[in-house]
DNA sequence: GTGGTCTAGACCACA
DNA sequence: GTGGTCTAGACCACG
C-alpha cells in the first residue's frame, strides 16, 4: 500500500506542518514502517508543487523529533526506534486539543452532539482508504 | 454567574482568537445575554495582561461578525439580534474544523476512538458549570 | 551578566547549530534562565552578520526541542519548564561523543593523556568568562 | 589480532570518515603495521554494506595523507614510512577538536567534569582490548 | 543521485 | 515592532 501525501492550501495549516503531521500520523498507524524510505526532498517538492526548502523544513522537524533518520547522500528513512510518546504529555495535549475544538465548535453555533457523527464519518472515509490521499 | 475570560500563552492559539472564541461561545450558551456589557478594552487589557491592540482586534472581529455592538463612548454590548449563522457556511466550517481536529489528534499519535470519551467528559463538565473555564 | 553569542565560520559547524548549542549550553549552566528573552531574530541576524533565516532556523529547532517558547509578535523566551534530559539518552550520547572524540584524537597521532590538560585549560577559560564570548 | 572495521549509521559521522579514522587509529596504535594489506575496496564495500565509492573516497584520503600506498592491481598497503604529523598542525587540530568536543558535551547539558572519568574508562577498555571496537 | 546550509527577498499574522 | 511561511537559487558534502 503506497503512502500518499496531500496538501491543501486552503486549510490555513502551513504546508510543512501538513507534511509533518501526515508522516507522524502514518507512523502512528503503521502505514509507515520503521526503515521505510520517504520520498526524496526533490521528488516530493515536485509532486506537491511546493518549494524544495519547504520539504526540507518538514523533514528537518521530523529528524529533530526523532521520527525519521537522515543519512546524507542516501535518503530519509522512518526511524527504527520510534520514541514512545510520553503518555502524560500526550494526555495533556489531547485534553487541550479537545477543549479548543469544542470551543470552536460552540463558536460556530453548533451543539456538541452534532460533531460525533461528522468525526465518525471522516474517520471512516480515511480508514477505508488505508492511506492518505488528495 | 460571572463571565470569566481566560487566556493561555502555551496553547498556540493567538490571544485575540481566544478572546473572540470565548465571547462567541458565551453567547451561544446563554452565559452572555443580548444587551449585556463587555469589559472596556482598557480594563480587559489590564486584566488579561495583554496588549491593548490585541483586545481591540478581538472586539473588532466580534463587531464585524455582528456578535457585539459598539457604542462610541458608551461601551461594547452583546448584540440584540444575533445574526443566525448561515447554515451552508456553518456546515463547511464544521467539516473543516473536524478534519483539522482529527489531523492534530493523529499527529499526537492518538487513535481517533480515544477522543470521543474525552469530548463527552469535557462537555459534561462544562454544562454542569455553566461558565467558561480554562 | 549579559549573554553573548559568537559564531565562527572556520569551525565547520553550521552557524545555526552553533547558535542552538550556545543556547542549550546557556540554559544548562544557568546563564539563561527560564522566562528570559532571547534577542529578536532580526537583531541577532545583524549582530552575528548572518542571514535572518539562519537565526529563524536555529530558534525553530530550539522551539521544537522545547528549550524556548515563541509567542508570535512578542518574542522568543527560554521555556519555563525545561524538559529534563532523559538520563539514559544523555548517557548514551555522552559515551558516543567521547568515543568519537578519542578516535579523532588518536587519528591525530596524539596520546589520550595529552588531552586532559587541554580540556581543562579550555574549560577554565570559559568559566572565568562566565558567558559566551567571541 | 585481527583488524575490524565498524561503522555505525546513527552516529552522524559520515561513513568514509569513520573508515579513515579507524585506519589512522589502527596505525597509531600499532594494530596495523607498515606493509600490512588492507581489504580491497570491493571486499570492504560488501563487508560494510556501503557504496563502493565511499570506500574509494576513504582510501583516497588515506593515500593523500600518506597513511597507505596503493599499488595499481596489487592492493592497498599501510605505508612503510608514516609521515610524522606536523607538530604545529597537530597542536592546532587538537585545540579545535577539544573545543568542539566541549561544545557538544555542553549541548548535551552535561557538565565538563563528568567527561573525564568516561574518557579514562574508554581509554582503559581499549588498551586492554588492543583492537578497534564499536 | 542524495540531503545540508546559506542567502535574498517577499508577504503574512500577531501584539 | 515581533515571529512565521514560502519562494528562488546557489553551493557544499556524501554515497
Amino acid at each position: 500500500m503506497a503512502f500518499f501525501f496531500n496538501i491543501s492550501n486552503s486549510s490555513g495549516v502551513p504546508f510543512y506542518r501538513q507534511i509533518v503531521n501526515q508522516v507522524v500520523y502514518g507512523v502512528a498507524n503503521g502505514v509507515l514502517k520503521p526503515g521505510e524510505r520517504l520520498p526524496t526532498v526533490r521528488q516530493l517538492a515536485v509532486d506537491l508543487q511546493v518549494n524544495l526548502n519547504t520539504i526540507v523544513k518538514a523533514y528537518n522537524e521530523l529528524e529533530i523529533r526523532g521520527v525519521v533518520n537522515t543519512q546524507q547522500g542516501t535518503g530519509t528513512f522512518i526511524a527504527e526506534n520510534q520514541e514512545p510518546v510520553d503518555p502524560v504529555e500526550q494526555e495533556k495535549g489531547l485534553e487541550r486539543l479537545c477543549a479548543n475544538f469544542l470551543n470552536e465548535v460552540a463558536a460556530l453555533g453548533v451543539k456538541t452532539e452534532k460533531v460525533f457523527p461528522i468525526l465518525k464519518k471522516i474517520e471512516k472515509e480515511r480508514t477505508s482508504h488505508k492511506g492518505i490521499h488528495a
Side-chain angles (χ1 to χ4, degrees), chain A:
Chain A
M1 171 61 61
F3 183 76
F4 295 102
F5 284 94
N6 81 85
I7 59 176
S8 140
N9 60 11
S10 65
S11 69
V13 182
F15 292 162
Y16 86 93
R17 183 140 306 286
Q18 296 183 41
I19 297 169
V20 169
N21 283 349
Q22 288 179 30
V23 172
V24 175
Y25 177 67
V27 172
N29 289 276
V31 181
L32 289 173
K33 302 207 187 316
E36 191 164 340
R37 185 177 184 175
L38 289 179
T40 70
V41 288
R42 284 173 176 79
Q43 187 58 50
L44 195 52
V46 171
D47 289 351
L48 299 182
Q49 306 252 55
V50 299
N51 187 278
L52 175 64
N53 287 330
T54 302
I55 311 291
V56 169
K57 183 172 184 179
Y59 278 23
N60 198 11
E61 172 163 343
L62 289 167
E63 169 89 43
I64 296 170
R65 289 171 58 175
V67 178
V68 305
N69 283 331
T70 303
Q71 187 78 43
Q72 211 178 77
T74 312
T76 302
F77 303 85
I78 303 296
E80 293 295 338
N81 300 313
Q82 291 294 327
E83 300 258 339
V85 181
D86 176 354
V88 176
E89 284 304 312
Q90 196 184 49
E91 196 66 26
K92 272 166 51 183
L94 198 54
E95 286 257 4
R96 207 183 63 202
L97 217 55
C98 289
N100 269 338
F101 173 63
L102 290 184
N103 281 340
E104 292 179 3
V105 167
L108 258 183
V110 174
K111 292 242 189 297
T112 304
E113 305 99 70
K114 285 194 61 180
V115 303
F116 293 108
I118 298 176
L119 291 175
K120 279 171 188 150
K121 190 194 74 181
I122 297 174
E123 176 67 6
K124 207 164 124 191
E125 283 171 15
R126 290 186 178 177
T127 50
S128 73
H129 289 171
K130 292 254 177 137
I132 294 172
H133 299 267

